[in-house]
Amino acid sequence: MSVAPWLVSAWLFAVGLYGIATSRNYVHGIGCLTVCQSSTYVLLLSIGYSWGAGPPIFYDHPSTVPAVDPVVQALVLTDIVVGAAVTALLLVIAIQVHKRRGSLDPDALRPMRSQP
Amino acid sequence: MTARWRLGLFAGAVLILTAAAGVIAAHMPAFGVPASHYGPAVNAIIPAARHATNMVAAVNFDVRGLDTLGEECILVCAATGAVVLLRGARGESISADAGRVPGRAVLRRTDATVILCRIAVSLTLVYGIYMALHGTITPGGGFQGGVVIASGLMLVYLGDGYALWRRMVPSVAMALLEGGGAFLFVAAAAIPLALGGDALANMLPLGQPKDLFSGGLIMLANDCVALSVTGSFGLLLLEFMEETRSPAEDPVPDEEDP
């Protein structure tokens, strides 16, 4: 039971990796990358969790009440923000590739092959 | 590399990953027991030391404030890079006319859509601002509030159309918000440094706990980040929408491959 969160995280990462390996479209590949990334959210939040603890926000209960680890939650926030920015950048690059080459299929885009 | 080879390589990688994940999962600290002393220490010390009640915001903007400064710079750089890439291929010119697919009928928006969007815009903006301002005391903060505000701006486009959206959300204003917010955050880090203290040292009055103006620098940094995130995401949405216009309306300088 106590290994379940780690296995869920590994499973999410593997699913995203499978999507990237078999992707036939870069937009789909970018979506798969965000699935890979969400495995890190599960991992970080699982590390910070403790049984019977509340949220690390002491507005309506005093700070002596047990609370989960706020450091990993802040890390997840960083993770999400940077992930969103990088996803936007990748999508822009995908748009440019589509404009120049008219395709987003990785198999049709061989950069080192001379154009026919 | 053919698809078959790639799948074979992936299968090998999964075998290694499965074995490694199994070993690591068995050696991870027990689930549900605090693994480090850092988080519990923050929970024990910061509410009294900083008069803040949202520990996540306190970690982001006070305890590990310098890391968030780096994160903010990553966000600004990525947004700027995306805008430069899009504009580089399209040119600087912007237009208030939406792109049209030839032959597709343009349907009028119904009054219900317009009125619902106008109500939703005001509520979303107020909620986003509330979230950003109260980041020190309740769940939320600058990043979350900024994203809520930026997505609220998209509702103007949905309800009142492209032209009005472009008039209400000028790209210069978004760029100023993005750069200005980041600049204020850097200034908040640099001013204590210039006064002989540590970077991002919390020298402001801390205020009463659970009060809007509590936490000193935490609230200020939160609001700088909210401005910057609003600008970044607003600018990104705007540049992506500009992409929907057909290239014929805006001839691109000829730098394509021959």
Side-chain angles (χ1 to χ4, degrees), chain A residues 53-95:
Chain A
I57 289 160
F58 305 110
Y59 190 71
D60 44 11
H61 51 79
S63 59
T64 45
V65 173
V68 298
D69 193 332
V71 178
V72 287
Q73 298 205 356
L75 277 176
V76 172
L77 181 60
T78 307
D79 200 350
I80 292 172
V81 172
V82 172
V86 168
T87 304
L89 197 58
L90 286 173
L91 285 173
V92 168
I93 294 172
I95 287 178

Short mmCIF file of all heavy atoms in Angstrom, two decimals, chain A residues 53-95:
data_model
loop_
_atom_site.label_atom_id
_atom_site.label_comp_id
_atom_site.label_asym_id
_atom_site.label_seq_id
_atom_site.Cartn_x
_atom_site.Cartn_y
_atom_site.Cartn_z
N ALA A 53 -2.59 14.79 8.68
CA ALA A 53 -2.16 16.18 8.70
C ALA A 53 -3.05 17.01 7.78
O ALA A 53 -3.59 16.51 6.80
CB ALA A 53 -0.71 16.30 8.25
N GLY A 54 -3.20 18.28 8.12
CA GLY A 54 -4.02 19.18 7.34
C GLY A 54 -3.19 19.98 6.35
O GLY A 54 -1.99 19.75 6.21
N PRO A 55 -3.81 20.93 5.66
CA PRO A 55 -3.06 21.78 4.73
C PRO A 55 -2.13 22.72 5.49
O PRO A 55 -2.43 23.09 6.62
CB PRO A 55 -4.17 22.56 4.01
CG PRO A 55 -5.30 22.56 4.95
CD PRO A 55 -5.24 21.26 5.69
N PRO A 56 -1.01 23.13 4.87
CA PRO A 56 -0.08 24.01 5.58
C PRO A 56 -0.53 25.46 5.54
O PRO A 56 0.24 26.37 5.23
CB PRO A 56 1.24 23.80 4.81
CG PRO A 56 0.81 23.46 3.45
CD PRO A 56 -0.52 22.76 3.56
N ILE A 57 -1.81 25.68 5.84
CA ILE A 57 -2.36 27.04 5.85
C ILE A 57 -3.07 27.21 7.18
O ILE A 57 -4.05 26.52 7.47
CB ILE A 57 -3.31 27.25 4.65
CG1 ILE A 57 -2.46 27.30 3.39
CG2 ILE A 57 -4.11 28.53 4.81
CD1 ILE A 57 -3.20 27.03 2.14
N PHE A 58 -2.53 28.10 8.02
CA PHE A 58 -2.98 28.18 9.41
C PHE A 58 -3.92 29.35 9.60
O PHE A 58 -3.70 30.19 10.45
CB PHE A 58 -1.76 28.26 10.33
CG PHE A 58 -0.80 27.13 10.12
CD1 PHE A 58 0.44 27.34 9.54
CD2 PHE A 58 -1.18 25.84 10.46
CE1 PHE A 58 1.30 26.28 9.34
CE2 PHE A 58 -0.31 24.78 10.24
CZ PHE A 58 0.93 25.01 9.69
N TYR A 59 -4.93 29.40 8.73
CA TYR A 59 -5.87 30.51 8.84
C TYR A 59 -6.93 30.23 9.88
O TYR A 59 -7.22 31.07 10.72
CB TYR A 59 -6.53 30.79 7.49
CG TYR A 59 -7.31 32.08 7.49
CD1 TYR A 59 -6.65 33.31 7.52
CD2 TYR A 59 -8.70 32.08 7.49
CE1 TYR A 59 -7.36 34.50 7.55
CE2 TYR A 59 -9.41 33.26 7.52
CZ TYR A 59 -8.73 34.46 7.55
OH TYR A 59 -9.43 35.64 7.58
N ASP A 60 -7.53 29.02 9.81
CA ASP A 60 -8.60 28.74 10.77
C ASP A 60 -8.21 27.66 11.77
O ASP A 60 -9.07 27.16 12.49
CB ASP A 60 -9.92 28.37 10.05
CG ASP A 60 -9.69 27.42 8.92
OD1 ASP A 60 -8.57 26.89 8.83
OD2 ASP A 60 -10.61 27.20 8.13
N HIS A 61 -6.94 27.28 11.82
CA HIS A 61 -6.49 26.43 12.92
C HIS A 61 -5.08 26.86 13.29
O HIS A 61 -4.34 27.36 12.45
CB HIS A 61 -6.56 24.94 12.57
CG HIS A 61 -5.91 24.58 11.28
ND1 HIS A 61 -4.55 24.44 11.15
CD2 HIS A 61 -6.42 24.36 10.06
CE1 HIS A 61 -4.26 24.12 9.91
NE2 HIS A 61 -5.38 24.08 9.22
N PRO A 62 -4.69 26.69 14.55
CA PRO A 62 -3.38 27.19 14.98
C PRO A 62 -2.25 26.38 14.37
O PRO A 62 -2.46 25.27 13.89
CB PRO A 62 -3.43 27.02 16.50
CG PRO A 62 -4.43 25.95 16.73
CD PRO A 62 -5.46 26.10 15.66
N SER A 63 -1.05 26.95 14.40
CA SER A 63 0.07 26.32 13.70
C SER A 63 0.62 25.13 14.47
O SER A 63 1.58 24.51 14.04
CB SER A 63 1.18 27.34 13.47
OG SER A 63 1.61 27.85 14.70
N THR A 64 0.00 24.79 15.61
CA THR A 64 0.44 23.59 16.31
C THR A 64 -0.20 22.34 15.72
O THR A 64 0.26 21.22 15.98
CB THR A 64 0.08 23.69 17.80
OG1 THR A 64 -1.27 24.18 17.90
CG2 THR A 64 1.00 24.65 18.52
N VAL A 65 -1.28 22.50 14.93
CA VAL A 65 -1.94 21.37 14.28
C VAL A 65 -0.99 20.79 13.23
O VAL A 65 -0.35 21.56 12.51
CB VAL A 65 -3.26 21.84 13.62
CG1 VAL A 65 -3.88 20.73 12.80
CG2 VAL A 65 -4.22 22.33 14.67
N PRO A 66 -0.83 19.45 13.16
CA PRO A 66 0.08 18.88 12.15
C PRO A 66 -0.36 19.26 10.74
O PRO A 66 -1.56 19.26 10.43
CB PRO A 66 -0.04 17.37 12.36
CG PRO A 66 -0.71 17.18 13.66
CD PRO A 66 -1.47 18.41 13.98
N ALA A 67 0.61 19.60 9.90
CA ALA A 67 0.31 19.98 8.51
C ALA A 67 1.31 19.30 7.60
O ALA A 67 2.40 18.91 8.03
CB ALA A 67 0.38 21.49 8.35
N VAL A 68 0.92 19.12 6.34
CA VAL A 68 1.81 18.46 5.39
C VAL A 68 2.97 19.41 5.04
O VAL A 68 2.93 20.61 5.36
CB VAL A 68 1.06 18.03 4.12
CG1 VAL A 68 -0.02 17.03 4.46
CG2 VAL A 68 0.48 19.21 3.41
N ASP A 69 3.98 18.85 4.36
CA ASP A 69 5.21 19.59 4.07
C ASP A 69 4.94 20.70 3.05
O ASP A 69 4.54 20.41 1.91
CB ASP A 69 6.22 18.59 3.51
CG ASP A 69 7.61 19.16 3.47
OD1 ASP A 69 7.73 20.39 3.36
OD2 ASP A 69 8.57 18.37 3.56
N PRO A 70 5.12 21.98 3.41
CA PRO A 70 4.84 23.05 2.44
C PRO A 70 5.94 23.21 1.39
O PRO A 70 5.70 23.78 0.33
CB PRO A 70 4.75 24.30 3.32
CG PRO A 70 5.61 24.00 4.47
CD PRO A 70 5.53 22.53 4.71
N VAL A 71 7.15 22.69 1.68
CA VAL A 71 8.27 22.92 0.76
C VAL A 71 8.02 22.20 -0.56
O VAL A 71 8.19 22.78 -1.64
CB VAL A 71 9.59 22.46 1.41
CG1 VAL A 71 10.73 22.64 0.44
CG2 VAL A 71 9.85 23.25 2.66
N VAL A 72 7.55 20.93 -0.50
CA VAL A 72 7.31 20.21 -1.75
C VAL A 72 6.12 20.80 -2.49
O VAL A 72 6.07 20.77 -3.72
CB VAL A 72 7.12 18.70 -1.52
CG1 VAL A 72 8.42 18.04 -1.17
CG2 VAL A 72 6.09 18.43 -0.47
N GLN A 73 5.14 21.35 -1.75
CA GLN A 73 4.01 21.98 -2.44
C GLN A 73 4.48 23.21 -3.21
O GLN A 73 4.05 23.45 -4.35
CB GLN A 73 2.93 22.38 -1.44
CG GLN A 73 2.38 21.17 -0.71
CD GLN A 73 0.97 21.42 -0.21
OE1 GLN A 73 0.43 22.51 -0.33
NE2 GLN A 73 0.37 20.39 0.33
N ALA A 74 5.41 23.98 -2.61
CA ALA A 74 5.97 25.13 -3.33
C ALA A 74 6.74 24.65 -4.55
O ALA A 74 6.70 25.28 -5.62
CB ALA A 74 6.88 25.92 -2.39
N LEU A 75 7.42 23.49 -4.42
CA LEU A 75 8.16 22.94 -5.56
C LEU A 75 7.21 22.56 -6.70
O LEU A 75 7.50 22.79 -7.87
CB LEU A 75 8.95 21.70 -5.14
CG LEU A 75 10.30 21.95 -4.49
CD1 LEU A 75 10.89 20.64 -4.03
CD2 LEU A 75 11.23 22.61 -5.48
N VAL A 76 6.04 21.98 -6.32
CA VAL A 76 5.06 21.60 -7.34
C VAL A 76 4.56 22.85 -8.08
O VAL A 76 4.40 22.85 -9.31
CB VAL A 76 3.89 20.83 -6.72
CG1 VAL A 76 2.78 20.60 -7.72
CG2 VAL A 76 4.36 19.50 -6.19
N LEU A 77 4.36 23.93 -7.32
CA LEU A 77 3.92 25.19 -7.94
C LEU A 77 4.95 25.66 -8.96
O LEU A 77 4.62 26.01 -10.11
CB LEU A 77 3.71 26.24 -6.85
CG LEU A 77 3.23 27.61 -7.32
CD1 LEU A 77 1.91 27.47 -8.02
CD2 LEU A 77 3.11 28.55 -6.14
N THR A 78 6.23 25.64 -8.57
CA THR A 78 7.32 25.99 -9.49
C THR A 78 7.27 25.11 -10.73
O THR A 78 7.38 25.59 -11.87
CB THR A 78 8.67 25.81 -8.78
OG1 THR A 78 8.63 26.54 -7.56
CG2 THR A 78 9.80 26.31 -9.63
N ASP A 79 7.11 23.80 -10.47
CA ASP A 79 7.06 22.81 -11.54
C ASP A 79 5.96 23.15 -12.56
O ASP A 79 6.19 23.16 -13.77
CB ASP A 79 6.77 21.46 -10.87
CG ASP A 79 7.16 20.29 -11.74
OD1 ASP A 79 7.46 20.52 -12.91
OD2 ASP A 79 7.15 19.16 -11.23
N ILE A 80 4.75 23.47 -12.05
CA ILE A 80 3.62 23.74 -12.92
C ILE A 80 3.88 25.00 -13.75
O ILE A 80 3.64 25.03 -14.97
CB ILE A 80 2.33 23.89 -12.09
CG1 ILE A 80 1.93 22.55 -11.47
CG2 ILE A 80 1.20 24.41 -12.96
CD1 ILE A 80 0.81 22.64 -10.49
N VAL A 81 4.40 26.05 -13.11
CA VAL A 81 4.60 27.32 -13.81
C VAL A 81 5.64 27.17 -14.91
O VAL A 81 5.42 27.55 -16.07
CB VAL A 81 5.02 28.42 -12.82
CG1 VAL A 81 5.41 29.67 -13.54
CG2 VAL A 81 3.90 28.71 -11.86
N VAL A 82 6.78 26.55 -14.55
CA VAL A 82 7.83 26.37 -15.55
C VAL A 82 7.33 25.44 -16.66
O VAL A 82 7.59 25.66 -17.85
CB VAL A 82 9.11 25.83 -14.88
CG1 VAL A 82 10.14 25.46 -15.91
CG2 VAL A 82 9.68 26.88 -13.95
N GLY A 83 6.56 24.41 -16.27
CA GLY A 83 6.01 23.50 -17.27
C GLY A 83 5.12 24.21 -18.27
O GLY A 83 5.21 23.98 -19.48
N ALA A 84 4.26 25.11 -17.76
CA ALA A 84 3.36 25.84 -18.66
C ALA A 84 4.16 26.71 -19.62
O ALA A 84 3.88 26.77 -20.82
CB ALA A 84 2.39 26.69 -17.84
N ALA A 85 5.21 27.39 -19.09
CA ALA A 85 6.01 28.26 -19.94
C ALA A 85 6.73 27.46 -21.01
O ALA A 85 6.76 27.85 -22.19
CB ALA A 85 7.00 29.04 -19.09
N VAL A 86 7.30 26.31 -20.61
CA VAL A 86 8.05 25.50 -21.58
C VAL A 86 7.10 24.91 -22.62
O VAL A 86 7.43 24.84 -23.81
CB VAL A 86 8.84 24.41 -20.83
CG1 VAL A 86 9.40 23.39 -21.80
CG2 VAL A 86 9.96 25.03 -20.04
N THR A 87 5.88 24.50 -22.19
CA THR A 87 4.92 23.97 -23.14
C THR A 87 4.56 25.04 -24.19
O THR A 87 4.48 24.73 -25.39
CB THR A 87 3.64 23.53 -22.40
OG1 THR A 87 4.01 22.59 -21.42
CG2 THR A 87 2.65 22.91 -23.36
N ALA A 88 4.37 26.29 -23.73
CA ALA A 88 4.06 27.36 -24.68
C ALA A 88 5.20 27.53 -25.68
O ALA A 88 4.97 27.65 -26.89
CB ALA A 88 3.82 28.67 -23.93
N LEU A 89 6.44 27.50 -25.18
CA LEU A 89 7.60 27.66 -26.06
C LEU A 89 7.66 26.52 -27.07
O LEU A 89 7.90 26.74 -28.28
CB LEU A 89 8.87 27.70 -25.21
CG LEU A 89 10.13 28.24 -25.85
CD1 LEU A 89 9.90 29.65 -26.33
CD2 LEU A 89 11.27 28.22 -24.86
N LEU A 90 7.41 25.28 -26.61
CA LEU A 90 7.46 24.13 -27.52
C LEU A 90 6.38 24.24 -28.58
O LEU A 90 6.61 23.92 -29.76
CB LEU A 90 7.30 22.83 -26.73
CG LEU A 90 8.50 22.40 -25.91
CD1 LEU A 90 8.15 21.20 -25.06
CD2 LEU A 90 9.66 22.05 -26.82
N LEU A 91 5.18 24.70 -28.18
CA LEU A 91 4.08 24.82 -29.15
C LEU A 91 4.44 25.86 -30.21
O LEU A 91 4.11 25.68 -31.39
CB LEU A 91 2.78 25.19 -28.44
CG LEU A 91 2.12 24.05 -27.67
CD1 LEU A 91 0.94 24.56 -26.88
CD2 LEU A 91 1.67 22.96 -28.62
N VAL A 92 5.10 26.95 -29.78
CA VAL A 92 5.51 27.97 -30.74
C VAL A 92 6.49 27.37 -31.75
O VAL A 92 6.38 27.60 -32.96
CB VAL A 92 6.15 29.17 -30.02
CG1 VAL A 92 6.82 30.09 -31.01
CG2 VAL A 92 5.11 29.92 -29.23
N ILE A 93 7.44 26.57 -31.25
CA ILE A 93 8.41 25.95 -32.16
C ILE A 93 7.68 25.01 -33.12
O ILE A 93 7.99 24.94 -34.31
CB ILE A 93 9.50 25.23 -31.34
CG1 ILE A 93 10.31 26.27 -30.57
CG2 ILE A 93 10.41 24.44 -32.24
CD1 ILE A 93 11.28 25.69 -29.59
N ALA A 94 6.66 24.27 -32.59
CA ALA A 94 5.88 23.38 -33.46
C ALA A 94 5.19 24.18 -34.56
O ALA A 94 5.14 23.75 -35.73
CB ALA A 94 4.87 22.59 -32.64
N ILE A 95 4.65 25.37 -34.21
CA ILE A 95 4.00 26.21 -35.21
C ILE A 95 5.00 26.60 -36.29
O ILE A 95 4.71 26.54 -37.49
CB ILE A 95 3.41 27.47 -34.55
CG1 ILE A 95 2.16 27.12 -33.75
CG2 ILE A 95 3.06 28.52 -35.60
CD1 ILE A 95 1.56 28.31 -33.03
#
